[in-house]
Amino acid sequence: MAKQVLLIDRDKAHAEALTLYLHRKLYDAVISTSNEQTLLFLDTHALDIIIAYPFATPETGQYLLAFKKTNPLVQIIITAPKSDLDEAMDLFGLNALDYLELPVNSKALDLALARAGAQTGLLTRMDLYTGRLEDLHYARNLFNQLFEEVPCYISVQDRNLRITAANRRFKRDFGGLVGGFCYEVYKHRSSPCRECPVAATFSDGKSHTTEEIVTSKDGKQYNVLTQTAPIRNGDGEIAQVMEMSTNITQIRQLQDHLVSLGLMLGSMSHGVKGMLTALDGGIYQLEAGLDQKDDKRMNLAFGQIKNMADKIKKMVLEILYYAKSRELQYETIEVAEMTDNVVATLTPLAQKHGIKFLVSIAPDLGTIEVDPQWMEATLINFLENAVDACLFDRNKKNHQVSFTVEKKSRTDICFTIQDNGIGMDAETRNKMFSLFFTSKGSQGTGLGLFIAHRVIKYHGGTVHVDSRPGDGSQFTISIPFQKPENARIMEPPAKDKG
Amino acid sequence: MKKKILVIDDDLNVSDYLASLFQDKGYQVSVAGNVKEGIKLAKAQHPDLITLDIEMPGEWGPRFYRQLSQEPDLKNIPVIVISGLSGHQYAVVKAVASLSKPFDREELLKIVEEILN
């Protein structure tokens, strides 16, 4: 495409002669002899070169200087009579490419035009490079941002499994040890793992996926899904390997929870079926007693039905507690009121089974800030377990359960529940607060003590267990009188770790 | 002479129920709460029928059945499985009947009657 030239001159005849010359040299030239034309051409033409007499009108020089500022690629060649050249040079300085004396020497014009072409080419290339550099800078920033902010762990490793780069999340959880060995930083090991996906990628150049358990700088364990990819150098050789790990701990916890839930449903459905069969048995006995007008049989049957209804109720309530999520509802209540409710519930149960129930409640215990519903249910749960422990024990004739309430310190109250029942071995003691653990076969859900333990923990309290097989058990429960500052929400549990 | 039934179940409420049910129909009933006691009673009494729970704490009903099958004079005693365990019908394939808890009383009595008479 021909280059566009604007000729500004006061002398139209001279300008036309120059235009003819430019046309012969394959330039596309237009002439302006007035301010109006100059402004129009500057505005509407994609100009490459301007050949101008800067004093064609008083404003020409100013127009051109302003135009050059915003269009640095357009080259200006000044033409002026010798008398004006100095002034033109003072005005334009380096803004003009060349200064030619009028009348214009054609050779000097040819050289100036050639120089303008070369200069424009140079500037155009520079403009292109600058643009590319800006793009590169943008891409680099974008890449950096992606690398740093992507919601997974990224590390780059060399052949010795040394970390050469790591993203922000990796550094946050595993420390900023660029230069450390992957197995040290990620797994706290002193030697490489047996099945290393990074080593595998170095060896076959393929991406590898594994599931790993890694340990953070704080000692927390995470399940991660790891994928590797080779990073090749200019010669196509694998220089480094990128390892990207996604934290799937929550997914694994959820899976564990679902497995536990499945196990619980299985064991509970077995228990429920047994209870329903026993309920059928009670109904049968009642029917038979009515038929035979046998009062004794009817009374026994009624007791059996009531017992089964209670057990089913308890099981259903435990499941409902398990599924429930609510904030602890703290109330300030008299300790005596709470313990009276607990004792009133337990007394008939102990009497029914001929178990001595010893109650000792210190006077003037004052008030306590707890969720009364949860706290009463928790104490009743421990006491019911104490009764069950006595019922399971066939070796002693006389059984007793004691319930002692006293001030442990100025800040804490202490509930002690003691029985002389069957007692627990070390394994049962260790697992007793775990979700779905029960030592009562199909009679238990494995929820009662799990929930009770959580209630105590959420109230900022502790439980101490002392038990030996054959000797019985003692539970010492401490609860602060005042609501703890970090009061918690009772949630349906994931898997209990405590 | 009264026909004899041996009930094996760890749940006292269930074994009491079964015992009353059978006694009321004129059968002679003995009850075992675990596998060991069950084998002992079977050997001593040679019952005409056994009802067997599959899953008891620390016990496994199919093991009882294997032990029973190894005794020449006990192996032909018919066994009815009564269990709350899902899939119990596959646990003792040679059982004459397999009922789920809670079972239908009339159905059980009908099966027992068919076997014993």
Side-chain angles (χ1 to χ4, degrees):
Chain A
M1 209 175 88
K3 289 212 157 67
Q4 288 278 331
V5 180
L6 169 62
L7 271 169
I8 304 173
D9 207 332
R10 173 166 69 172
D11 180 349
K12 202 172 177 193
H14 179 258
E16 280 171 350
L18 214 50
T19 306
L20 276 176
Y21 180 77
L22 289 170
H23 283 165
R24 272 210 308 278
K25 294 279 177 183
L26 300 175
Y27 288 92
D28 208 351
V30 286
I31 301 169
S32 164
T33 50
S34 68
N35 278 346
E36 206 181 348
Q37 280 176 319
T38 300
L39 288 175
L40 181 75
F41 287 137
L42 290 179
D43 191 34
T44 55
H45 277 53
L47 298 169
D48 296 301
I49 300 166
I50 300 171
I51 302 173
Y53 172 51
F55 310 113
T57 68
E59 295 82 14
T60 303
Q62 297 310 319
Y63 289 164
L64 290 178
L65 281 169
F67 182 75
K68 177 72 179 172
K69 254 186 199 167
T70 49
N71 299 274
L73 289 181
V74 177
Q75 300 304 320
I76 298 175
I77 300 167
I78 298 294
T79 55
K82 195 174 182 181
S83 56
D84 288 346
L85 267 180
D86 270 5
E87 198 183 338
M89 284 175 187
D90 287 343
L91 184 62
F92 276 81
L94 289 172
N95 285 311
L97 178 81
D98 210 347
Y99 295 86
L100 303 180
E101 193 184 324
L102 282 173
V104 173
N105 175 302
S106 64
K107 280 201 175 147
L109 181 63
D110 285 349
L111 280 174
L113 287 170
R115 206 158 38 234
Q119 185 77 3
T120 307
L122 208 66
L123 287 175
T124 310
R125 275 204 300 283
M126 230 163 81
D127 198 43
L128 192 71
Y129 292 152
T130 313
R132 280 187 187 160
L133 210 63
E134 274 170 10
D135 287 350
L136 208 65
H137 191 64
Y138 173 76
R140 191 191 152 96
N141 270 345
L142 194 71
F143 166 76
N144 246 337
Q145 223 168 321
L146 279 174
F147 181 74
E148 293 293 356
E149 304 302 336
V150 70
C152 61
Y153 305 121
I154 299 182
S155 64
V156 179
Q157 298 171 29
D158 67 12
R159 216 165 261 281
N160 297 320
L161 307 178
R162 255 185 212 285
I163 296 172
T164 58
N167 71 343
R168 196 193 307 277
R169 190 172 282 234
F170 187 98
K171 287 177 189 162
R172 183 194 71 190
D173 288 353
F174 299 97
L177 283 173
V178 165
F181 289 107
C182 166
Y183 46 85
E184 279 176 359
V185 176
Y186 232 9
K187 298 227 177 153
H188 300 198
R189 287 169 63 108
S190 54
S191 59
C193 311
R194 195 181 289 173
E195 310 251 329
C196 174
V198 174
T201 299
F202 267 118
S203 118
D204 65 11
K206 290 179 183 160
S207 174
H208 289 267
T209 305
T210 55
E211 194 177 326
E212 312 274 344
I213 294 174
V214 294
T215 309
S216 76
K217 62 179 178 187
D218 309 328
K220 280 187 197 150
Q221 292 209 316
Y222 298 129
N223 296 74
V224 292
L225 193 66
T226 296
Q227 276 181 304
T228 56
I231 300 174
R232 296 177 189 275
N233 62 16
D235 299 331
E237 292 160 349
I238 301 171
Q240 303 191 87
V241 167
M242 180 177 81
E243 188 180 63
M244 193 173 86
S245 302
T246 314
N247 191 335
I248 54 165
T249 311
Q250 279 185 326
I251 296 171
R252 284 285 167 269
Q253 277 174 352
L254 193 68
Q255 275 175 343
D256 285 351
H257 190 195
L258 287 174
V259 168
S260 304
L261 210 62
L263 285 174
M264 176 186 81
L265 285 176
S267 89
M268 256 175 12
S269 90
H270 184 229
V272 168
K273 283 172 184 173
M275 289 182 199
L276 292 175
T277 310
L279 196 64
D280 274 355
I283 292 166
Y284 169 73
Q285 302 284 23
L286 193 63
E287 278 173 9
L290 282 167
D291 278 352
Q292 297 159 5
K293 300 203 173 9
D294 181 344
D295 282 351
K296 195 178 160 201
R297 194 165 178 174
M298 277 194 287
N299 278 334
L300 275 174
F302 184 71
Q304 196 179 338
I305 291 170
K306 194 169 171 304
N307 181 24
M308 277 308 134
D310 283 348
K311 275 192 176 161
I312 292 169
K313 188 169 92 182
K314 187 165 174 277
M315 186 180 255
V316 170
L317 283 179
E318 279 179 359
I319 297 164
L320 293 182
Y321 270 132
Y322 173 75
K324 208 168 180 177
S325 170
R326 70 170 176 90
E327 223 161 302
L328 288 176
Q329 285 162 4
Y330 281 90
E331 281 175 39
T332 302
I333 56 159
E334 292 286 335
V335 175
E337 186 190 333
M338 184 171 78
T339 51
D340 281 354
N341 290 343
V342 172
V343 170
T345 311
L346 251 290
T347 306
L349 182 73
Q351 265 171 4
K352 182 175 145 193
H353 296 292
I355 294 166
K356 206 187 246 181
F357 185 35
L358 304 167
V359 179
S360 163
I361 297 170
D364 306 327
L365 285 167
T367 58
I368 186 166
E369 200 179 357
V370 290
D371 181 321
Q373 194 189 340
W374 280 112
M375 195 46 74
E376 279 175 25
T378 296
L379 292 172
I380 288 169
N381 197 299
F382 277 99
L383 284 163
E384 280 178 343
N385 278 335
V387 169
D388 285 341
C390 292
L391 292 178
F392 281 123
D393 179 29
R394 308 246 180 248
N395 295 326
K396 293 182 219 64
K397 253 188 174 175
N398 299 312
H399 285 107
Q400 66 177 49
V401 170
S402 70
F403 180 46
T404 310
V405 187
E406 60 201 346
K407 240 184 199 179
K408 184 186 174 193
S409 63
R410 212 166 46 82
T411 55
D412 287 10
I413 190 167
C414 177
F415 302 94
T416 309
I417 291 142
Q418 191 175 17
D419 66 70
N420 66 342
I422 191 167
M424 290 182 284
D425 56 22
E427 192 191 350
T428 310
R429 256 196 334 266
N430 290 337
K431 290 185 183 168
M432 61 184 298
F433 295 125
S434 303
L435 183 56
F436 307 139
F437 174 78
T438 178
S439 60
K440 298 184 197 169
S442 60
Q443 305 285 323
T445 55
L447 286 171
L449 276 185
F450 170 82
I451 293 167
H453 190 221
R454 284 202 154 219
V455 171
I456 292 166
K457 276 205 299 190
Y458 287 0
H459 277 86
T462 57
V463 194
H464 177 77
V465 189
D466 199 1
S467 181
R468 282 232 313 264
D471 288 355
S473 307
Q474 179 175 310
F475 293 87
T476 313
I477 302 165
S478 294
I479 304 284
F481 281 103
Q482 299 286 324
K483 168 182 168 180
E485 274 178 15
N486 54 345
R488 296 274 300 270
I489 291 172
M490 282 295 290
E491 298 155 340
K495 212 165 178 188
D496 192 34
K497 302 264 195 277
Chain B
M1 202 173 109
K2 280 184 179 177
K3 297 271 187 183
K4 287 180 282 188
I5 301 179
L6 171 59
V7 173
I8 305 176
D9 201 307
D10 66 306
D11 188 339
L12 260 180
N13 291 309
V14 176
S15 57
D16 277 357
Y17 171 31
L18 287 170
S20 301
L21 195 62
F22 296 147
Q23 275 161 359
D24 289 346
K25 290 291 168 191
Y27 299 114
Q28 187 184 325
V29 183
S30 45
V31 173
N34 57 52
V35 167
K36 205 172 143 195
E37 209 182 326
I39 289 287
K40 205 170 109 189
L41 283 176
K43 278 183 181 168
Q45 301 178 348
H46 286 268
D48 301 289
L49 173 71
I50 295 173
T51 72
L52 175 66
D53 186 14
I54 290 289
E55 195 192 40
M56 298 170 270
E59 305 269 9
W60 181 232
R63 188 178 304 142
F64 167 84
Y65 192 81
R66 272 203 303 281
Q67 288 181 28
L68 197 74
S69 317
Q70 283 158 11
E71 302 282 336
D73 49 343
L74 300 180
K75 66 179 183 189
N76 290 324
I77 300 175
V79 172
I80 299 177
V81 169
I82 301 176
S83 175
L85 194 72
S86 43
H88 60 82
Q89 61 272 36
Y90 309 113
V92 182
V93 285
K94 286 185 182 165
V96 288
S98 216
L99 297 180
S100 289
K101 285 178 183 174
F103 53 85
D104 184 292
R105 194 197 304 165
E106 298 306 323
E107 187 190 355
L108 172 66
L109 287 174
K110 202 175 139 205
I111 293 169
V112 169
E113 206 169 313
E114 273 171 14
I115 294 169
L116 294 182
N117 300 316

